[in-house]
Amino acid sequence: TGQTSSAFWDYWSKRHIKLPFPKTATWISLMGHHDEMYLGFIRAHNRPAFVDYINSRGCRVYKNGMSAGGRIANCLDQDPRRIGMAFFVFFLMPGVPAVYYGDEIGWPNNEEHAKRQQNKQHKILQKLGVDIDIERAFDPRDLHRGPITAEHLYETLHGEYFPLQVLRRMNQVYYNTLALQTPDLHPVTAYDDGILCMERFVNDHIGGQTNPPVLCITNLTYQTKYVAVPIIEFNPILHNFDENGNMIFFQLVGSTMNKNDTHVTFNFDHGHLRVTLEPWGFVMLAPKRSF
């Protein structure tokens, strides 16, 4: 819904699970999955707004407002730009990203499957002697389960669906960028609660060329944003300038996909990197490269 970067960092600083990991283990990160979306992680005073939002998108909240069922695509208005942005942020999180089937092609709530399962469940309960109204046999989790049509799958795989392009690119970059495989996030100031800005780097190679840091900036809102980032807050190895005094980077990933794997320049003014991001826009910047 926008205006959420401070909430993100607040949650991250107080995340509820802190376990020691062996060096050979890490998290598996999930954006969608087969089971219910647990809303207990959301603060009680914020939960009603989330409940209203989820229900308004054709999903279902149940268990006294503590769980929800429905597809990510529905929660994000089936907007390809917004879903693509969500994949970008998802890959910035520590751990190995795992995408739930269908999310990569924007598969929406499967109402037909949920209805079939409801009828089946109701008949089973009746045979067991449980006399309940058919509405109570509905399982909201069935909205994000069931088959995907071959037509939709092939059409998306062979088309130019933006979220799938982002996912393919992020898979490639994640595999080749050690900074994204580290366990920590490092916030960078952006003076705007609608902007999520962070640096990822390898702690034992800070400033090194072998495993360079990356600067990641995301617009979490439906508005164009003009972002100012103080360069003193990110690694000096990213401080490269062209002959006109503009900052120059190598773009690994961006919502402007045709600039990937190219050098990009941004204005530099009064100690700040200046970046313009379209609604739901994002960019991942690495140090200037020599070819």
PDB file of all heavy atoms in Angstrom, residues 245-280:
ATOM      1  N   GLY A 245      30.792  14.964 -13.721  1.00  0.00           N
ATOM      2  CA  GLY A 245      30.462  14.997 -12.302  1.00  0.00           C
ATOM      3  C   GLY A 245      29.255  14.179 -11.920  1.00  0.00           C
ATOM      4  O   GLY A 245      28.795  14.233 -10.779  1.00  0.00           O
ATOM      5  N   ASN A 246      28.706  13.418 -12.876  1.00  0.00           N
ATOM      6  CA  ASN A 246      27.594  12.525 -12.558  1.00  0.00           C
ATOM      7  C   ASN A 246      28.132  11.213 -12.008  1.00  0.00           C
ATOM      8  O   ASN A 246      29.251  10.804 -12.304  1.00  0.00           O
ATOM      9  CB  ASN A 246      26.754  12.246 -13.803  1.00  0.00           C
ATOM     10  CG  ASN A 246      26.119  13.496 -14.366  1.00  0.00           C
ATOM     11  OD1 ASN A 246      25.548  14.296 -13.626  1.00  0.00           O
ATOM     12  ND2 ASN A 246      26.224  13.677 -15.682  1.00  0.00           N
ATOM     13  N   MET A 247      27.308  10.541 -11.212  1.00  0.00           N
ATOM     14  CA  MET A 247      27.713   9.238 -10.696  1.00  0.00           C
ATOM     15  C   MET A 247      27.415   8.166 -11.733  1.00  0.00           C
ATOM     16  O   MET A 247      26.375   8.185 -12.401  1.00  0.00           O
ATOM     17  CB  MET A 247      26.989   8.920  -9.383  1.00  0.00           C
ATOM     18  CG  MET A 247      27.316   9.887  -8.253  1.00  0.00           C
ATOM     19  SD  MET A 247      26.904   9.231  -6.599  1.00  0.00           S
ATOM     20  CE  MET A 247      28.231   8.037  -6.359  1.00  0.00           C
ATOM     21  N   ILE A 248      28.327   7.235 -11.848  1.00  0.00           N
ATOM     22  CA  ILE A 248      28.183   6.180 -12.842  1.00  0.00           C
ATOM     23  C   ILE A 248      28.236   4.819 -12.152  1.00  0.00           C
ATOM     24  O   ILE A 248      29.071   4.586 -11.274  1.00  0.00           O
ATOM     25  CB  ILE A 248      29.268   6.305 -13.941  1.00  0.00           C
ATOM     26  CG1 ILE A 248      29.059   5.247 -15.023  1.00  0.00           C
ATOM     27  CG2 ILE A 248      30.667   6.252 -13.365  1.00  0.00           C
ATOM     28  CD1 ILE A 248      29.890   5.485 -16.266  1.00  0.00           C
ATOM     29  N   PHE A 249      27.308   3.946 -12.521  1.00  0.00           N
ATOM     30  CA  PHE A 249      27.206   2.610 -11.943  1.00  0.00           C
ATOM     31  C   PHE A 249      27.032   1.594 -13.067  1.00  0.00           C
ATOM     32  O   PHE A 249      26.757   1.945 -14.209  1.00  0.00           O
ATOM     33  CB  PHE A 249      25.982   2.497 -11.016  1.00  0.00           C
ATOM     34  CG  PHE A 249      25.990   3.433  -9.847  1.00  0.00           C
ATOM     35  CD1 PHE A 249      25.447   4.708  -9.961  1.00  0.00           C
ATOM     36  CD2 PHE A 249      26.508   3.037  -8.617  1.00  0.00           C
ATOM     37  CE1 PHE A 249      25.424   5.570  -8.880  1.00  0.00           C
ATOM     38  CE2 PHE A 249      26.480   3.893  -7.528  1.00  0.00           C
ATOM     39  CZ  PHE A 249      25.941   5.163  -7.660  1.00  0.00           C
ATOM     40  N   PHE A 250      27.123   0.326 -12.675  1.00  0.00           N
ATOM     41  CA  PHE A 250      26.754  -0.768 -13.563  1.00  0.00           C
ATOM     42  C   PHE A 250      25.420  -1.305 -13.076  1.00  0.00           C
ATOM     43  O   PHE A 250      25.291  -1.725 -11.928  1.00  0.00           O
ATOM     44  CB  PHE A 250      27.814  -1.867 -13.544  1.00  0.00           C
ATOM     45  CG  PHE A 250      27.596  -2.937 -14.578  1.00  0.00           C
ATOM     46  CD1 PHE A 250      27.963  -2.718 -15.902  1.00  0.00           C
ATOM     47  CD2 PHE A 250      27.025  -4.155 -14.244  1.00  0.00           C
ATOM     48  CE1 PHE A 250      27.763  -3.692 -16.859  1.00  0.00           C
ATOM     49  CE2 PHE A 250      26.827  -5.141 -15.186  1.00  0.00           C
ATOM     50  CZ  PHE A 250      27.199  -4.907 -16.505  1.00  0.00           C
ATOM     51  N   GLN A 251      24.395  -1.264 -13.929  1.00  0.00           N
ATOM     52  CA  GLN A 251      23.065  -1.717 -13.532  1.00  0.00           C
ATOM     53  C   GLN A 251      22.943  -3.223 -13.692  1.00  0.00           C
ATOM     54  O   GLN A 251      23.008  -3.755 -14.794  1.00  0.00           O
ATOM     55  CB  GLN A 251      21.976  -1.028 -14.349  1.00  0.00           C
ATOM     56  CG  GLN A 251      20.555  -1.493 -13.984  1.00  0.00           C
ATOM     57  CD  GLN A 251      19.474  -0.680 -14.653  1.00  0.00           C
ATOM     58  OE1 GLN A 251      19.431   0.539 -14.505  1.00  0.00           O
ATOM     59  NE2 GLN A 251      18.587  -1.349 -15.383  1.00  0.00           N
ATOM     60  N   LEU A 252      22.750  -3.913 -12.574  1.00  0.00           N
ATOM     61  CA  LEU A 252      22.532  -5.353 -12.603  1.00  0.00           C
ATOM     62  C   LEU A 252      21.076  -5.680 -12.916  1.00  0.00           C
ATOM     63  O   LEU A 252      20.783  -6.554 -13.729  1.00  0.00           O
ATOM     64  CB  LEU A 252      22.933  -5.965 -11.258  1.00  0.00           C
ATOM     65  CG  LEU A 252      24.422  -5.946 -10.914  1.00  0.00           C
ATOM     66  CD1 LEU A 252      24.642  -6.450  -9.501  1.00  0.00           C
ATOM     67  CD2 LEU A 252      25.212  -6.785 -11.909  1.00  0.00           C
ATOM     68  N   VAL A 253      20.166  -4.982 -12.215  1.00  0.00           N
ATOM     69  CA  VAL A 253      18.731  -5.211 -12.408  1.00  0.00           C
ATOM     70  C   VAL A 253      18.027  -3.874 -12.282  1.00  0.00           C
ATOM     71  O   VAL A 253      18.404  -3.030 -11.461  1.00  0.00           O
ATOM     72  CB  VAL A 253      18.146  -6.169 -11.332  1.00  0.00           C
ATOM     73  CG1 VAL A 253      16.694  -6.512 -11.663  1.00  0.00           C
ATOM     74  CG2 VAL A 253      18.972  -7.427 -11.207  1.00  0.00           C
ATOM     75  N   GLY A 254      17.001  -3.674 -13.089  1.00  0.00           N
ATOM     76  CA  GLY A 254      16.199  -2.463 -12.966  1.00  0.00           C
ATOM     77  C   GLY A 254      14.843  -2.650 -13.596  1.00  0.00           C
ATOM     78  O   GLY A 254      14.646  -3.514 -14.462  1.00  0.00           O
ATOM     79  N   SER A 255      13.896  -1.846 -13.158  1.00  0.00           N
ATOM     80  CA  SER A 255      12.563  -1.915 -13.758  1.00  0.00           C
ATOM     81  C   SER A 255      12.586  -1.438 -15.203  1.00  0.00           C
ATOM     82  O   SER A 255      11.700  -1.765 -15.987  1.00  0.00           O
ATOM     83  CB  SER A 255      11.566  -1.094 -12.930  1.00  0.00           C
ATOM     84  OG  SER A 255      12.084   0.175 -12.594  1.00  0.00           O
ATOM     85  N   THR A 256      13.626  -0.669 -15.573  1.00  0.00           N
ATOM     86  CA  THR A 256      13.887  -0.382 -16.983  1.00  0.00           C
ATOM     87  C   THR A 256      14.830  -1.464 -17.478  1.00  0.00           C
ATOM     88  O   THR A 256      16.053  -1.344 -17.420  1.00  0.00           O
ATOM     89  CB  THR A 256      14.521   1.013 -17.156  1.00  0.00           C
ATOM     90  OG1 THR A 256      13.704   1.993 -16.508  1.00  0.00           O
ATOM     91  CG2 THR A 256      14.655   1.368 -18.623  1.00  0.00           C
ATOM     92  N   MET A 257      14.250  -2.567 -17.959  1.00  0.00           N
ATOM     93  CA  MET A 257      15.015  -3.791 -18.189  1.00  0.00           C
ATOM     94  C   MET A 257      16.074  -3.658 -19.282  1.00  0.00           C
ATOM     95  O   MET A 257      17.090  -4.344 -19.254  1.00  0.00           O
ATOM     96  CB  MET A 257      14.050  -4.935 -18.536  1.00  0.00           C
ATOM     97  CG  MET A 257      13.023  -5.251 -17.460  1.00  0.00           C
ATOM     98  SD  MET A 257      13.733  -6.010 -15.982  1.00  0.00           S
ATOM     99  CE  MET A 257      14.048  -7.666 -16.563  1.00  0.00           C
ATOM    100  N   ASN A 258      15.849  -2.754 -20.248  1.00  0.00           N
ATOM    101  CA  ASN A 258      16.797  -2.663 -21.352  1.00  0.00           C
ATOM    102  C   ASN A 258      18.110  -2.006 -20.944  1.00  0.00           C
ATOM    103  O   ASN A 258      19.037  -1.928 -21.746  1.00  0.00           O
ATOM    104  CB  ASN A 258      16.180  -1.928 -22.551  1.00  0.00           C
ATOM    105  CG  ASN A 258      15.767  -0.498 -22.221  1.00  0.00           C
ATOM    106  OD1 ASN A 258      15.960  -0.016 -21.104  1.00  0.00           O
ATOM    107  ND2 ASN A 258      15.198   0.187 -23.199  1.00  0.00           N
ATOM    108  N   LYS A 259      18.205  -1.536 -19.699  1.00  0.00           N
ATOM    109  CA  LYS A 259      19.455  -0.954 -19.207  1.00  0.00           C
ATOM    110  C   LYS A 259      20.281  -1.950 -18.404  1.00  0.00           C
ATOM    111  O   LYS A 259      21.378  -1.616 -17.949  1.00  0.00           O
ATOM    112  CB  LYS A 259      19.166   0.284 -18.360  1.00  0.00           C
ATOM    113  CG  LYS A 259      18.608   1.453 -19.153  1.00  0.00           C
ATOM    114  CD  LYS A 259      18.450   2.698 -18.276  1.00  0.00           C
ATOM    115  CE  LYS A 259      17.924   3.879 -19.085  1.00  0.00           C
ATOM    116  NZ  LYS A 259      17.761   5.099 -18.240  1.00  0.00           N
ATOM    117  N   ASN A 260      19.769  -3.154 -18.211  1.00  0.00           N
ATOM    118  CA  ASN A 260      20.531  -4.162 -17.484  1.00  0.00           C
ATOM    119  C   ASN A 260      21.821  -4.503 -18.233  1.00  0.00           C
ATOM    120  O   ASN A 260      21.861  -4.517 -19.456  1.00  0.00           O
ATOM    121  CB  ASN A 260      19.696  -5.425 -17.284  1.00  0.00           C
ATOM    122  CG  ASN A 260      18.541  -5.211 -16.320  1.00  0.00           C
ATOM    123  OD1 ASN A 260      18.554  -4.279 -15.511  1.00  0.00           O
ATOM    124  ND2 ASN A 260      17.543  -6.077 -16.401  1.00  0.00           N
ATOM    125  N   ASP A 261      22.869  -4.745 -17.448  1.00  0.00           N
ATOM    126  CA  ASP A 261      24.191  -5.049 -18.003  1.00  0.00           C
ATOM    127  C   ASP A 261      24.772  -3.871 -18.778  1.00  0.00           C
ATOM    128  O   ASP A 261      25.536  -4.055 -19.735  1.00  0.00           O
ATOM    129  CB  ASP A 261      24.149  -6.288 -18.909  1.00  0.00           C
ATOM    130  CG  ASP A 261      24.051  -7.576 -18.104  1.00  0.00           C
ATOM    131  OD1 ASP A 261      24.504  -7.593 -16.945  1.00  0.00           O
ATOM    132  OD2 ASP A 261      23.523  -8.567 -18.634  1.00  0.00           O
ATOM    133  N   THR A 262      24.409  -2.660 -18.382  1.00  0.00           N
ATOM    134  CA  THR A 262      24.994  -1.468 -18.987  1.00  0.00           C
ATOM    135  C   THR A 262      25.382  -0.486 -17.889  1.00  0.00           C
ATOM    136  O   THR A 262      24.912  -0.573 -16.748  1.00  0.00           O
ATOM    137  CB  THR A 262      24.010  -0.760 -19.939  1.00  0.00           C
ATOM    138  OG1 THR A 262      22.916  -0.221 -19.185  1.00  0.00           O
ATOM    139  CG2 THR A 262      23.475  -1.712 -20.995  1.00  0.00           C
ATOM    140  N   HIS A 263      26.242   0.465 -18.246  1.00  0.00           N
ATOM    141  CA  HIS A 263      26.565   1.547 -17.323  1.00  0.00           C
ATOM    142  C   HIS A 263      25.464   2.608 -17.395  1.00  0.00           C
ATOM    143  O   HIS A 263      24.983   2.949 -18.474  1.00  0.00           O
ATOM    144  CB  HIS A 263      27.926   2.168 -17.652  1.00  0.00           C
ATOM    145  CG  HIS A 263      29.074   1.313 -17.207  1.00  0.00           C
ATOM    146  ND1 HIS A 263      29.947   0.712 -18.085  1.00  0.00           N
ATOM    147  CD2 HIS A 263      29.478   0.947 -15.968  1.00  0.00           C
ATOM    148  CE1 HIS A 263      30.847   0.026 -17.407  1.00  0.00           C
ATOM    149  NE2 HIS A 263      30.586   0.143 -16.122  1.00  0.00           N
ATOM    150  N   VAL A 264      25.066   3.094 -16.229  1.00  0.00           N
ATOM    151  CA  VAL A 264      24.028   4.111 -16.143  1.00  0.00           C
ATOM    152  C   VAL A 264      24.559   5.266 -15.300  1.00  0.00           C
ATOM    153  O   VAL A 264      25.384   5.074 -14.404  1.00  0.00           O
ATOM    154  CB  VAL A 264      22.733   3.552 -15.515  1.00  0.00           C
ATOM    155  CG1 VAL A 264      22.058   2.559 -16.448  1.00  0.00           C
ATOM    156  CG2 VAL A 264      23.001   2.898 -14.157  1.00  0.00           C
ATOM    157  N   THR A 265      24.110   6.475 -15.601  1.00  0.00           N
ATOM    158  CA  THR A 265      24.558   7.647 -14.859  1.00  0.00           C
ATOM    159  C   THR A 265      23.377   8.326 -14.175  1.00  0.00           C
ATOM    160  O   THR A 265      22.245   8.303 -14.663  1.00  0.00           O
ATOM    161  CB  THR A 265      25.256   8.663 -15.790  1.00  0.00           C
ATOM    162  OG1 THR A 265      24.347   9.060 -16.829  1.00  0.00           O
ATOM    163  CG2 THR A 265      26.502   8.070 -16.408  1.00  0.00           C
ATOM    164  N   PHE A 266      23.670   8.924 -13.012  1.00  0.00           N
ATOM    165  CA  PHE A 266      22.673   9.660 -12.252  1.00  0.00           C
ATOM    166  C   PHE A 266      23.299  10.960 -11.774  1.00  0.00           C
ATOM    167  O   PHE A 266      24.522  11.059 -11.587  1.00  0.00           O
ATOM    168  CB  PHE A 266      22.199   8.850 -11.037  1.00  0.00           C
ATOM    169  CG  PHE A 266      21.546   7.543 -11.384  1.00  0.00           C
ATOM    170  CD1 PHE A 266      22.271   6.355 -11.337  1.00  0.00           C
ATOM    171  CD2 PHE A 266      20.216   7.487 -11.756  1.00  0.00           C
ATOM    172  CE1 PHE A 266      21.676   5.152 -11.650  1.00  0.00           C
ATOM    173  CE2 PHE A 266      19.605   6.292 -12.073  1.00  0.00           C
ATOM    174  CZ  PHE A 266      20.337   5.122 -12.026  1.00  0.00           C
ATOM    175  N   ASN A 267      22.467  11.945 -11.559  1.00  0.00           N
ATOM    176  CA  ASN A 267      22.957  13.229 -11.066  1.00  0.00           C
ATOM    177  C   ASN A 267      23.531  13.082  -9.665  1.00  0.00           C
ATOM    178  O   ASN A 267      23.064  12.289  -8.850  1.00  0.00           O
ATOM    179  CB  ASN A 267      21.826  14.265 -11.050  1.00  0.00           C
ATOM    180  CG  ASN A 267      21.410  14.696 -12.438  1.00  0.00           C
ATOM    181  OD1 ASN A 267      22.184  14.595 -13.393  1.00  0.00           O
ATOM    182  ND2 ASN A 267      20.182  15.163 -12.574  1.00  0.00           N
ATOM    183  N   PHE A 268      24.559  13.905  -9.408  1.00  0.00           N
ATOM    184  CA  PHE A 268      25.150  13.992  -8.070  1.00  0.00           C
ATOM    185  C   PHE A 268      25.099  15.452  -7.647  1.00  0.00           C
ATOM    186  O   PHE A 268      25.540  16.342  -8.374  1.00  0.00           O
ATOM    187  CB  PHE A 268      26.606  13.493  -8.092  1.00  0.00           C
ATOM    188  CG  PHE A 268      27.332  13.715  -6.799  1.00  0.00           C
ATOM    189  CD1 PHE A 268      27.029  12.933  -5.686  1.00  0.00           C
ATOM    190  CD2 PHE A 268      28.307  14.697  -6.682  1.00  0.00           C
ATOM    191  CE1 PHE A 268      27.696  13.136  -4.481  1.00  0.00           C
ATOM    192  CE2 PHE A 268      28.982  14.900  -5.492  1.00  0.00           C
ATOM    193  CZ  PHE A 268      28.677  14.115  -4.395  1.00  0.00           C
ATOM    194  N   ASP A 269      24.513  15.690  -6.468  1.00  0.00           N
ATOM    195  CA  ASP A 269      24.315  17.069  -6.044  1.00  0.00           C
ATOM    196  C   ASP A 269      24.376  17.165  -4.526  1.00  0.00           C
ATOM    197  O   ASP A 269      23.653  16.450  -3.817  1.00  0.00           O
ATOM    198  CB  ASP A 269      22.949  17.569  -6.552  1.00  0.00           C
ATOM    199  CG  ASP A 269      22.661  18.998  -6.152  1.00  0.00           C
ATOM    200  OD1 ASP A 269      23.555  19.848  -6.317  1.00  0.00           O
ATOM    201  OD2 ASP A 269      21.551  19.255  -5.648  1.00  0.00           O
ATOM    202  N   HIS A 270      25.261  18.036  -4.013  1.00  0.00           N
ATOM    203  CA  HIS A 270      25.376  18.280  -2.574  1.00  0.00           C
ATOM    204  C   HIS A 270      25.499  16.980  -1.767  1.00  0.00           C
ATOM    205  O   HIS A 270      24.816  16.781  -0.764  1.00  0.00           O
ATOM    206  CB  HIS A 270      24.185  19.094  -2.065  1.00  0.00           C
ATOM    207  CG  HIS A 270      24.151  20.496  -2.588  1.00  0.00           C
ATOM    208  ND1 HIS A 270      23.527  20.826  -3.783  1.00  0.00           N
ATOM    209  CD2 HIS A 270      24.663  21.649  -2.081  1.00  0.00           C
ATOM    210  CE1 HIS A 270      23.660  22.126  -3.997  1.00  0.00           C
ATOM    211  NE2 HIS A 270      24.358  22.650  -2.978  1.00  0.00           N
ATOM    212  N   GLY A 271      26.387  16.114  -2.232  1.00  0.00           N
ATOM    213  CA  GLY A 271      26.672  14.890  -1.491  1.00  0.00           C
ATOM    214  C   GLY A 271      25.636  13.798  -1.636  1.00  0.00           C
ATOM    215  O   GLY A 271      25.680  12.798  -0.901  1.00  0.00           O
ATOM    216  N   HIS A 272      24.697  13.967  -2.574  1.00  0.00           N
ATOM    217  CA  HIS A 272      23.618  12.994  -2.720  1.00  0.00           C
ATOM    218  C   HIS A 272      23.537  12.455  -4.150  1.00  0.00           C
ATOM    219  O   HIS A 272      23.663  13.215  -5.119  1.00  0.00           O
ATOM    220  CB  HIS A 272      22.269  13.607  -2.356  1.00  0.00           C
ATOM    221  CG  HIS A 272      22.110  13.874  -0.894  1.00  0.00           C
ATOM    222  ND1 HIS A 272      22.713  14.949  -0.274  1.00  0.00           N
ATOM    223  CD2 HIS A 272      21.418  13.208   0.068  1.00  0.00           C
ATOM    224  CE1 HIS A 272      22.397  14.939   1.027  1.00  0.00           C
ATOM    225  NE2 HIS A 272      21.617  13.892   1.248  1.00  0.00           N
ATOM    226  N   LEU A 273      23.307  11.154  -4.232  1.00  0.00           N
ATOM    227  CA  LEU A 273      22.930  10.512  -5.486  1.00  0.00           C
ATOM    228  C   LEU A 273      21.459  10.809  -5.739  1.00  0.00           C
ATOM    229  O   LEU A 273      20.622  10.681  -4.842  1.00  0.00           O
ATOM    230  CB  LEU A 273      23.150   9.002  -5.363  1.00  0.00           C
ATOM    231  CG  LEU A 273      22.513   8.097  -6.415  1.00  0.00           C
ATOM    232  CD1 LEU A 273      23.161   8.305  -7.770  1.00  0.00           C
ATOM    233  CD2 LEU A 273      22.620   6.633  -5.978  1.00  0.00           C
ATOM    234  N   ARG A 274      21.127  11.243  -6.967  1.00  0.00           N
ATOM    235  CA  ARG A 274      19.743  11.587  -7.310  1.00  0.00           C
ATOM    236  C   ARG A 274      19.203  10.576  -8.323  1.00  0.00           C
ATOM    237  O   ARG A 274      19.757  10.426  -9.420  1.00  0.00           O
ATOM    238  CB  ARG A 274      19.684  12.998  -7.910  1.00  0.00           C
ATOM    239  CG  ARG A 274      20.341  14.073  -7.049  1.00  0.00           C
ATOM    240  CD  ARG A 274      19.463  14.489  -5.893  1.00  0.00           C
ATOM    241  NE  ARG A 274      20.104  15.511  -5.064  1.00  0.00           N
ATOM    242  CZ  ARG A 274      19.503  16.170  -4.069  1.00  0.00           C
ATOM    243  NH1 ARG A 274      18.240  15.910  -3.794  1.00  0.00           N
ATOM    244  NH2 ARG A 274      20.161  17.058  -3.356  1.00  0.00           N
ATOM    245  N   VAL A 275      18.126   9.904  -7.941  1.00  0.00           N
ATOM    246  CA  VAL A 275      17.545   8.860  -8.787  1.00  0.00           C
ATOM    247  C   VAL A 275      16.048   9.109  -8.916  1.00  0.00           C
ATOM    248  O   VAL A 275      15.368   9.383  -7.919  1.00  0.00           O
ATOM    249  CB  VAL A 275      17.781   7.457  -8.183  1.00  0.00           C
ATOM    250  CG1 VAL A 275      17.133   6.378  -9.053  1.00  0.00           C
ATOM    251  CG2 VAL A 275      19.269   7.187  -8.014  1.00  0.00           C
ATOM    252  N   THR A 276      15.535   9.015 -10.138  1.00  0.00           N
ATOM    253  CA  THR A 276      14.095   9.096 -10.368  1.00  0.00           C
ATOM    254  C   THR A 276      13.565   7.688 -10.635  1.00  0.00           C
ATOM    255  O   THR A 276      14.083   6.971 -11.486  1.00  0.00           O
ATOM    256  CB  THR A 276      13.774   9.994 -11.578  1.00  0.00           C
ATOM    257  OG1 THR A 276      14.275  11.315 -11.327  1.00  0.00           O
ATOM    258  CG2 THR A 276      12.271  10.068 -11.808  1.00  0.00           C
ATOM    259  N   LEU A 277      12.531   7.300  -9.879  1.00  0.00           N
ATOM    260  CA  LEU A 277      11.934   5.982 -10.039  1.00  0.00           C
ATOM    261  C   LEU A 277      10.449   6.114 -10.351  1.00  0.00           C
ATOM    262  O   LEU A 277       9.722   6.819  -9.645  1.00  0.00           O
ATOM    263  CB  LEU A 277      12.114   5.148  -8.770  1.00  0.00           C
ATOM    264  CG  LEU A 277      13.528   4.635  -8.466  1.00  0.00           C
ATOM    265  CD1 LEU A 277      13.552   3.920  -7.121  1.00  0.00           C
ATOM    266  CD2 LEU A 277      14.020   3.709  -9.566  1.00  0.00           C
ATOM    267  N   GLU A 278      10.003   5.425 -11.388  1.00  0.00           N
ATOM    268  CA  GLU A 278       8.594   5.402 -11.737  1.00  0.00           C
ATOM    269  C   GLU A 278       7.826   4.613 -10.674  1.00  0.00           C
ATOM    270  O   GLU A 278       8.431   3.948  -9.839  1.00  0.00           O
ATOM    271  CB  GLU A 278       8.393   4.768 -13.112  1.00  0.00           C
ATOM    272  CG  GLU A 278       8.627   3.266 -13.190  1.00  0.00           C
ATOM    273  CD  GLU A 278      10.068   2.859 -13.386  1.00  0.00           C
ATOM    274  OE1 GLU A 278      10.977   3.696 -13.178  1.00  0.00           O
ATOM    275  OE2 GLU A 278      10.297   1.680 -13.745  1.00  0.00           O
ATOM    276  N   PRO A 279       6.489   4.681 -10.675  1.00  0.00           N
ATOM    277  CA  PRO A 279       5.717   3.887  -9.717  1.00  0.00           C
ATOM    278  C   PRO A 279       6.138   2.419  -9.743  1.00  0.00           C
ATOM    279  O   PRO A 279       6.281   1.824 -10.801  1.00  0.00           O
ATOM    280  CB  PRO A 279       4.275   4.064 -10.202  1.00  0.00           C
ATOM    281  CG  PRO A 279       4.277   5.415 -10.865  1.00  0.00           C
ATOM    282  CD  PRO A 279       5.615   5.516 -11.535  1.00  0.00           C
ATOM    283  N   TRP A 280       6.377   1.876  -8.560  1.00  0.00           N
ATOM    284  CA  TRP A 280       6.824   0.493  -8.364  1.00  0.00           C
ATOM    285  C   TRP A 280       8.178   0.228  -9.018  1.00  0.00           C
ATOM    286  O   TRP A 280       8.538  -0.926  -9.273  1.00  0.00           O
ATOM    287  CB  TRP A 280       5.790  -0.518  -8.887  1.00  0.00           C
ATOM    288  CG  TRP A 280       4.359  -0.189  -8.602  1.00  0.00           C
ATOM    289  CD1 TRP A 280       3.363   0.041  -9.507  1.00  0.00           C
ATOM    290  CD2 TRP A 280       3.737  -0.038  -7.311  1.00  0.00           C
ATOM    291  NE1 TRP A 280       2.177   0.319  -8.891  1.00  0.00           N
ATOM    292  CE2 TRP A 280       2.373   0.281  -7.535  1.00  0.00           C
ATOM    293  CE3 TRP A 280       4.184  -0.136  -5.994  1.00  0.00           C
ATOM    294  CZ2 TRP A 280       1.464   0.492  -6.495  1.00  0.00           C
ATOM    295  CZ3 TRP A 280       3.283   0.079  -4.966  1.00  0.00           C
ATOM    296  CH2 TRP A 280       1.952   0.384  -5.215  1.00  0.00           C
TER     297      TRP A 280
END
